Amino acid sequence: MLIKIELYKPFFEPELLKVSDQFYKDEAAELNMNFEVVGYLRHTERRINEEIGRTLDYLDKSTENKLCSLIEKIFITDNLQAILANGFDGLIDNSNIESLSKLYYFLDKVGKLDFLKKTWGYYIKQRGNALINENELSVERILQYKASLETILNDCFQKNASLKSAMQFAFEDCINVKTNKIAELSSKYIDDVLKNAHKISKDDQEVEAKLDDAISIFRYLSAKDIFEAFYTKRLVKRLLLGLSSSDILEKKMIDKLKHGKGVRG
């Protein structure tokens, strides 16, 4: 540290923080004129790392947290609306794991995960409703969407319980926009798997994984009775006409349905 200790705390540090505050406010305002979330988050991270390095070389260790907190407040807390409103959807759509991880880290650091929770839930509902209303809707498309959300939750949001709950509630709302249609599609998906298990794979575990995928949708359905009606009709037809590939898989599927009620996944 280059500054005499008796001058550092009362004189140098307050002036340093004052000048830094104005510098970063001006910089954030300039970045906001042509806001681009990926570059913005990288810039924020770089500035923090620069201050950590500068503190190590020239300043007292106690100043590091003050400078980092100053940057986090200016770039993240004070510009939260711009970050979430102008870039969040694109990060999810493009599965930008790096930037979403940075965003989660910063929002957790500044205590603003509740804002992320609301934006995350709203995104899931908006994109989910659009998906459910597609003319060529399929169980495969629903499962693909669900898997993409789970990847982000696990890889970017550190399996945060609150964000997981928001995801589940939002996904449930989407599924039940057209609950009868989803119930029918899910029962047909299972029917196809059980009739063609030998074509899908010689490995029963791989086939079971597909059945588990279908159950993961069933758990969210409010119209479970409608699903069961469709499923039972197709089950009877498979058994009467000898269309099922495996009696063992049929029994396992019934057990899965019994245990799947009321448990969202």
Side-chain angles (χ1 to χ4, degrees):
M1 188 174 71
L2 301 179
I3 309 301
K4 289 183 179 180
I5 195 69
E6 65 269 18
L7 301 177
Y8 188 88
K9 285 292 183 182
F11 302 108
F12 178 79
E13 186 182 69
E15 185 63 20
L16 172 67
L17 294 174
K18 179 182 176 182
V19 172
S20 297
D21 182 79
Q22 189 58 55
F23 173 81
Y24 286 125
K25 281 179 178 176
D26 291 342
E27 187 172 72
E30 185 176 344
L31 289 171
N32 270 320
M33 292 177 66
N34 296 290
F35 186 83
E36 191 276 311
V37 68
V38 174
Y40 187 85
L41 293 171
R42 285 177 181 165
H43 183 85
T44 303
E45 182 181 54
R46 188 176 81 249
R47 283 305 196 192
I48 288 173
N49 289 334
E50 286 173 354
E51 292 297 355
I52 291 172
R54 198 163 11 250
T55 301
L56 184 64
D57 291 338
Y58 306 114
L59 307 173
D60 185 80
K61 178 65 177 175
S62 64
T63 306
E64 178 184 305
N65 186 57
K66 295 174 185 177
L67 285 168
C68 291
S69 295
L70 182 149
I71 293 172
E72 289 161 359
K73 178 182 182 301
I74 292 171
F75 283 91
I76 304 300
T77 304
D78 294 350
N79 286 284
L80 192 57
Q81 184 175 356
I83 294 170
L84 295 178
N86 300 325
F88 182 77
D89 289 4
L91 295 181
I92 302 287
D93 290 342
N94 296 314
S95 299
N96 192 321
I97 302 299
E98 178 187 350
S99 294
L100 286 167
S101 298
K102 284 186 175 68
L103 178 62
Y104 177 85
Y105 171 80
F106 284 132
L107 294 184
D108 186 32
K109 196 88 182 294
V110 300
K112 297 296 182 180
L113 285 182
D114 52 333
F115 288 89
L116 178 59
K117 178 181 177 180
K118 292 176 184 177
T119 308
W120 170 237
Y122 181 75
Y123 170 91
I124 293 169
K125 288 181 182 180
Q126 292 297 105
R127 292 293 192 272
N129 287 341
L131 171 64
I132 297 301
N133 284 294
E134 287 181 357
N135 292 329
E136 300 299 323
L137 178 63
S138 67
V139 169
E140 288 85 355
R141 288 277 290 119
I142 297 171
L143 289 172
Q144 184 182 37
Y145 178 59
K146 182 173 180 289
S148 70
L149 298 175
E150 290 171 344
T151 296
I152 290 168
L153 177 71
N154 295 331
D155 294 352
C156 305
F157 298 163
Q158 299 182 18
K159 302 180 182 179
N160 180 278
S162 181
L163 294 177
K164 180 179 180 180
S165 178
M167 181 188 75
Q168 290 176 328
F169 278 114
F171 188 78
E172 183 176 29
D173 284 348
C174 298
I175 289 297
N176 289 297
V177 166
K178 291 188 175 181
T179 185
N180 292 4
K181 182 176 181 179
I182 304 301
E184 182 176 10
L185 286 173
S186 299
S187 69
K188 185 179 185 305
Y189 175 86
I190 294 170
D191 184 59
D192 290 340
V193 171
L194 290 172
K195 285 194 296 188
N196 298 290
H198 61 289
K199 296 179 182 178
I200 294 171
S201 175
K202 293 180 180 180
D203 184 356
D204 279 358
Q205 289 186 343
E206 188 175 336
V207 177
E208 276 197 65
K210 288 186 173 294
L211 297 177
D212 287 337
D213 286 340
I215 288 294
S216 74
I217 295 178
F218 167 75
R219 288 170 177 152
Y220 286 95
L221 286 172
S222 61
K224 288 183 173 63
D225 55 336
I226 295 175
F227 169 88
E228 289 169 354
F230 283 123
Y231 179 81
T232 301
K233 181 179 178 180
R234 289 188 164 102
L235 170 62
V236 170
K237 187 175 180 180
R238 285 196 304 276
L239 297 180
L240 287 177
L241 299 180
L243 299 175
S244 181
S245 290
S246 168
D247 290 341
I248 294 175
L249 286 174
E250 291 285 0
K251 291 175 182 177
K252 285 185 176 181
M253 187 63 215
I254 291 172
D255 287 338
K256 290 177 188 293
L257 288 172
K258 287 178 179 177
H259 291 100
K261 289 186 177 181
V263 184
R264 293 181 303 183

